Amino acid sequence: MGISWFIGGPFLYIAVVVFLYKTVLTVWGYITMPRHLRWDIYPVPHQGRIGSKYQQVDFTGLKPPVFFMDELKEMLQEMLFIKRAWVNNPRVWKGSFPLHMGFYFGFAWIVLIAIGAVFELNGLPVAAAAPLWGRLLFYLTLAAGSIGFAAGLGGSLVLLWLRTTDEDMRYMSDYVSYINLGLMILLFGSGLAALLFADPSFAVDRAHMAGLLTLRPAAVKEPLLLFRMLIFGLFLLYLPFNRMMHFVGKYFFYHDIMWDDASMKRGSAMETDVAAYLNYRVTWSGAHVRQGESWLDQVAGEASREEDQNEKE
């Protein structure tokens, strides 16, 4: 047991546990946050061809239809093809799209490596000359890894080039942006290097994953594989504390801010929540507010001042 065993075993376990724990905390934090101000910009996808319930006569007395497939279509276009970047900034899309594909195929590669490890633990070979399912799994893993590492590296390099050569992007880029891109270049670059020069069939990865799944990790002998595992573990530890966690927040942004069009009805949970928010006390100061008073007090005070002004006039 040495540093190679620690990086390939306990360090990866720690990284996965920290990532999952912090991700769950982040999701729970979003769920329990006060309601955000909604955009109320129409059309919204789940209204389908209608676009907005407000186009219906007596909409308050009608249950608005929900077209789930239209919403799913819009979500998939954004998730898989980064639609808004393509529409609003095609130059950024040229880096953002392959970068996201790198993460998607990379995740698929990890899942396929784990499935292959389970196959081999049960005596089912995964190789080019294996029976049908083992052979299919071999080529799917090879394709997912190759595409994921190459696309992720290419996308990261394009975005780094844009942030250093485009004046507007360079102006809005901070050091965290460059750290994130540098880490992703190392992540995908080390994966591609390990594939090309250390484990072209992913056989060593499957064997190591089998050890991880059975809680018997082995020392990693290949330096490139060890470096890739180190970078992957560091990335998992870094990710949930970084703004790259937008992949979690994006769901809440779309569904609770952009697309939420639920009406507030008497006795509803929304009415209860909003009534509670009005009792929040203002902690900041300004010429138009009184610090320490609630929003209801602010409104009542403003109304009183207007009455006094009217009486003087």
Side-chain angles (χ1 to χ4, degrees):
M1 293 185 184
I3 188 64
S4 63
W5 171 83
F6 176 78
I7 292 175
F11 177 65
L12 289 181
Y13 289 137
I14 293 170
V16 170
V17 170
V18 171
F19 169 76
L20 293 176
Y21 177 73
K22 184 61 172 67
T23 300
V24 170
L25 285 183
T26 300
V27 171
W28 181 247
Y30 287 142
I31 292 173
T32 55
M33 277 183 176
R35 296 175 184 268
H36 200 285
L37 291 176
R38 303 188 319 201
W39 281 18
D40 281 323
I41 298 177
Y42 298 88
V44 290
H46 61 254
Q47 290 291 328
R49 297 176 300 277
I50 296 174
S52 169
K53 62 184 179 182
Y54 299 118
Q55 296 184 107
Q56 307 298 310
V57 178
D58 298 329
F59 68 89
T60 56
L62 300 174
K63 182 178 180 180
V66 176
F67 297 90
F68 174 74
M69 293 306 297
D70 290 86
E71 181 175 300
L72 181 62
K73 177 183 176 182
E74 184 70 20
M75 291 170 57
L76 290 177
Q77 286 178 339
E78 180 62 24
M79 291 170 58
L80 298 180
F81 303 110
I82 322 300
K83 175 184 174 182
R84 280 173 171 75
W86 166 257
V87 172
N88 298 305
N89 198 333
R91 290 190 69 204
V92 171
W93 181 87
K94 293 175 183 178
S96 182
F97 175 70
L99 174 61
H100 283 81
M101 289 302 102
F103 280 113
Y104 296 153
F105 277 98
F107 177 75
W109 172 75
I110 293 174
V111 172
L112 291 169
I113 287 289
I115 295 174
V118 173
F119 265 51
E120 294 186 341
L121 285 171
N122 288 276
L124 302 173
V126 178
L132 177 61
W133 290 108
R135 186 165 66 252
L136 177 62
L137 185 57
F138 172 82
Y139 284 112
L140 284 175
T141 306
L142 186 61
S146 302
I147 295 172
F149 295 142
L153 177 60
S156 301
L157 290 171
V158 169
L159 290 177
L160 180 62
W161 177 76
L162 285 174
R163 287 192 180 275
T164 54
T165 60
D166 185 277
E167 184 177 353
D168 292 333
M169 290 196 67
R170 187 169 63 249
Y171 177 77
M172 64 185 293
S173 299
D174 58 4
Y175 71 93
V176 176
S177 302
Y178 295 106
I179 291 175
N180 291 347
L181 286 172
L183 185 57
M184 287 186 286
I185 289 171
L186 287 175
L187 177 68
F188 293 113
S190 62
L192 189 60
L195 168 63
L196 293 175
F197 304 111
D199 188 18
S201 65
F202 294 128
V204 178
D205 280 311
R206 271 187 293 273
H208 191 78
M209 179 66 80
L212 290 172
L213 293 176
T214 56
L215 302 182
R216 291 179 296 182
V220 182
K221 298 179 180 179
E222 289 287 347
L224 283 174
L225 292 179
L226 183 64
F227 181 71
R228 189 198 64 200
M229 291 180 189
L230 174 63
I231 296 300
F232 177 67
L234 291 174
F235 182 77
L236 283 183
L237 290 172
Y238 178 69
L239 180 59
F241 299 94
N242 184 264
R243 61 190 177 211
M244 286 190 287
M245 278 293 284
H246 71 267
F247 73 88
V248 172
K250 206 167 186 178
Y251 172 87
F252 297 95
F253 172 67
Y254 274 63
H255 289 82
D256 295 343
I257 300 176
M258 286 181 61
W259 297 345
D260 183 15
D261 63 343
S263 302
M264 184 165 65
K265 298 180 179 179
R266 187 175 298 279
S268 65
M270 184 185 296
E271 183 186 47
T272 301
D273 290 344
V274 172
Y277 302 156
L278 292 176
N279 288 310
Y280 285 0
R281 296 193 176 277
V282 178
T283 58
W284 48 275
S285 60
H288 60 295
V289 298
R290 296 186 301 281
Q291 187 175 10
E293 295 187 2
S294 69
W295 289 107
L296 282 176
D297 294 334
Q298 305 289 334
V299 175
E302 183 63 28
S304 177
R305 285 194 296 272
E306 288 181 359
E307 289 179 3
D308 293 341
Q309 184 65 29
N310 291 334
E311 290 179 358
K312 291 179 180 179
E313 294 177 354

